[in-house]
Amino acid sequence: FTSVIETYVYLQKEFDKGLLDHVGSLQFCIKGELSRVKELQCQANERHKQQLVMSSAELYWKPKLDDYRKKLDEYHNSWSSWVPWPGAYQVEYHNHVAMLKDHILHLVRAAREDMDRHNYERVGSSVALVQHFRSVLQYHLPSVPITTEAQNLEHHVLRAFSCLQDDLKAALAKDNITEFESLFLQYQKFVQNIATPYVEIKRRLVHVHEHIHDIVNLRVAGLNSQVDVFDFAGAAASVNLLRNIGHVLTGVYAVYHEFIRTFANDGFLQRINDMCTEHFGGKALSRLGAFYALLEVPPNASQEDIDRAFKLKSREYHSDMHARKGICQQDPDGMQKRITEARDELRNPRVRDEYRRGFLEPFSIMIKDIPKKLRKQAEEFLQKRKYEEVKQLLTCVKDFHRLACLVDPPLDGEQVRVDMHKAVKEHVNTIQANIADHWSRRKLKELHDDFTCLDRIDENFGAYAEIYSDTWKKDISKQVESDIDSLAEQARSYLSDDGA
């Protein structure tokens, strides 16, 4: 096309100078032919641009450019007069190289704009395409402008990645799990689409893994401490928080881990998996949670919600939609197959019920053991006559219903309270029996200790009518006082008899 256009342009100039006057009978419209050839060239350029996809680097562009370059090298290296002048090849070669360079630079700049819009699929597609063409056609492409723009893009990507990591860690540290889940979904798409070409991103992944591991460990340790001191209101809040974190770890994180385990295997990933096994249902629950995460539906999603989400996701990952978005990679991770599997699995009501039960299961065993632990602790305190600590336990029991409702089936919080009161009541009855026994046998020292103990019981449990009533104390005190008065009267009578 270039040679034909140059020829037509030359003829047009000669015609304009008067040549056409000497060939007036020529049935030839140079302007029309020139326009037609230019239109054919534009169509050819469009066909070239359509070949700007990854598979065409080796199949289309490299053979064509290598052929042009070979002919140019033959001309420059030959001393023979019969080697034709390769002007057309030279022009075509430089046109193709310029077209490639402009398109690659356009991809780099578009990737920066898409990064700011969080369109990570297009960014990943553009970066992969740029790197592939630079790798395959590096002999033909000018290195300086493309390398500079590619380096600027890499710095932009790394800055965006660092900011996203900081936001993600801050959300988890502040226990804002809704924001953490939203950011992790964004983070997972970032890593899935962009991380592969960048070694520095892969190296930085461990920072988020370490943070997740440390925060979850810290929250679990906090829950254990709250249970140890019977802070049931705080423990209930911690259980809900950890279950929400577990929902992320068995959902979005499970999809993320499935992808990155092919190229990242730091120690914190295994530790997070161990935590999921210990606290959040392990691989079985993570497999189901990944299905919910792939369709981006909540644990309580209905069959209609799942079908609706599948249609949206199927349309999103369809090859035609990718082409319309300017994404060159056609479903690289087999997402159509994965979301179809997720839809088929979650259509089963038993599978959905299994996940919902698993979602409510973490820390249920700990909660169910609390009543026994509470009763045992109360009995130890009562045995050591630490009534202030027992009173504190009775105060804590009022909040146990906050934890009782977090297991399936719910525990009877009222029964736990009744059992605690019963344990204290039994101790009070023992003290009362000891007082009666010690007084009947006139063990005055033990009696004094028992009354001191009863005074402390009255001070700490006087507000609990079902546990302790001061009526018995008043009655036994009157009886003791009466007996002492009788003894005193008897002693006085003995003294008066001796004086007589």
Side-chain angles (χ1 to χ4, degrees), residues 324-388:
R324 196 174 305 150
K325 291 179 180 179
I327 300 173
C328 299
Q329 296 168 291
Q330 300 299 314
D331 197 15
D333 298 307
M335 290 299 293
Q336 282 286 1
K337 180 179 178 180
R338 295 171 72 193
I339 62 175
T340 301
E341 180 187 8
R343 187 273 312 270
D344 293 342
E345 286 282 346
L346 297 183
R347 272 181 170 174
N348 189 339
R350 288 167 52 186
V351 172
R352 298 200 300 273
D353 290 341
E354 180 182 349
Y355 181 73
R356 289 173 191 140
R357 287 194 302 271
F359 179 70
L360 297 175
E361 186 63 26
F363 307 101
S364 292
I365 296 177
M366 174 189 288
I367 295 173
K368 292 176 181 178
D369 286 342
I370 287 177
K372 295 179 182 178
K373 184 177 180 180
L374 191 63
R375 176 73 182 255
K376 181 180 179 181
Q377 185 68 74
E379 290 173 349
E380 290 179 2
F381 284 153
L382 289 169
Q383 186 177 3
K384 297 176 182 178
R385 299 189 176 183
K386 295 182 177 181
Y387 300 129
E388 292 77 10

Side-chain angles (χ1 to χ4, degrees), residues 110-120 123 153 156-157 160-161 190 194:
R112 294 187 64 173
E113 296 176 1
D114 289 330
M115 177 64 66
D116 296 334
R117 300 189 190 103
H118 300 166
N119 192 342
Y120 302 131
V123 174
L153 173 61
H156 190 70
V157 168
F161 185 68
F190 190 113
I194 304 175

Side-chain angles (χ1 to χ4, degrees), residues 63-281:
K64 184 179 288 292
L65 293 177
D66 286 347
D67 183 57
Y68 287 152
R69 189 76 231 181
K70 180 181 178 182
K71 287 181 169 59
L72 290 175
D73 291 341
E74 286 177 354
Y75 174 78
H76 291 301
N77 297 329
S78 176
W79 293 93
S80 302
S81 59
W82 57 267
V83 176
W85 177 70
Y89 292 116
Q90 186 174 12
V91 173
E92 287 295 325
Y93 176 76
H94 289 302
N95 284 344
H96 280 68
V97 170
M99 184 189 304
L100 272 174
K101 184 195 77 171
D102 292 343
H103 186 71
I104 290 174
L105 292 177
H106 170 74
L107 284 174
V108 171
R109 292 163 189 148
R112 294 187 64 173
E113 296 176 1
D114 289 330
M115 177 64 66
D116 296 334
R117 300 189 190 103
H118 300 166
N119 192 342
Y120 302 131
E121 283 183 305
R122 284 191 57 176
V123 174
S125 175
S126 299
V127 169
L129 188 58
V130 168
Q131 293 198 346
H132 187 70
F133 268 90
R134 289 182 65 197
S135 173
V136 175
L137 304 175
Q138 59 182 341
Y139 175 71
H140 302 285
L141 292 172
S143 60
V144 176
I146 294 178
T147 301
T148 302
E149 288 294 330
Q151 288 175 346
N152 292 338
L153 173 61
E154 181 174 356
H155 295 155
H156 190 70
V157 168
L158 292 177
R159 282 196 301 270
F161 185 68
S162 295
C163 291
L164 183 56
Q165 281 193 318
D166 292 341
D167 292 342
L168 186 69
K169 291 190 286 187
L172 182 58
K174 295 176 181 176
D175 297 334
N176 189 342
I177 306 305
T178 301
E179 183 180 0
F180 172 68
E181 181 176 16
S182 175
L183 287 170
F184 202 96
L185 179 62
Q186 184 178 332
Y187 182 77
Q188 176 245 324
K189 291 181 178 179
F190 190 113
V191 173
Q192 186 171 351
N193 288 285
I194 304 175
T196 304
Y198 294 117
V199 176
E200 182 63 20
I201 289 181
K202 296 178 183 177
R203 189 184 67 80
R204 296 184 186 182
L205 293 175
V206 67
H207 301 319
V208 166
H209 305 159
E210 181 181 7
H211 185 75
I212 292 174
H213 171 267
D214 291 347
I215 289 294
V216 175
N217 259 353
L218 186 64
R219 299 297 179 261
V220 171
L223 171 61
N224 290 329
S225 298
Q226 290 165 334
V227 171
D228 288 341
V229 299
F230 304 109
D231 177 11
F232 298 135
S238 294
V239 168
N240 283 321
L241 171 66
L242 284 165
R243 284 180 176 177
N244 288 331
I245 293 176
H247 170 62
V248 178
L249 294 181
T250 58
V252 180
Y253 175 83
V255 178
Y256 165 81
H257 180 262
E258 182 181 342
F259 171 75
I260 67 164
R261 67 182 178 182
T262 58
F263 59 82
N265 192 23
D266 57 79
F268 290 104
L269 279 177
Q270 184 57 48
R271 294 177 197 175
I272 293 174
N273 290 342
D274 293 341
M275 286 193 306
C276 289
T277 301
E278 182 179 0
H279 301 300
F280 304 117

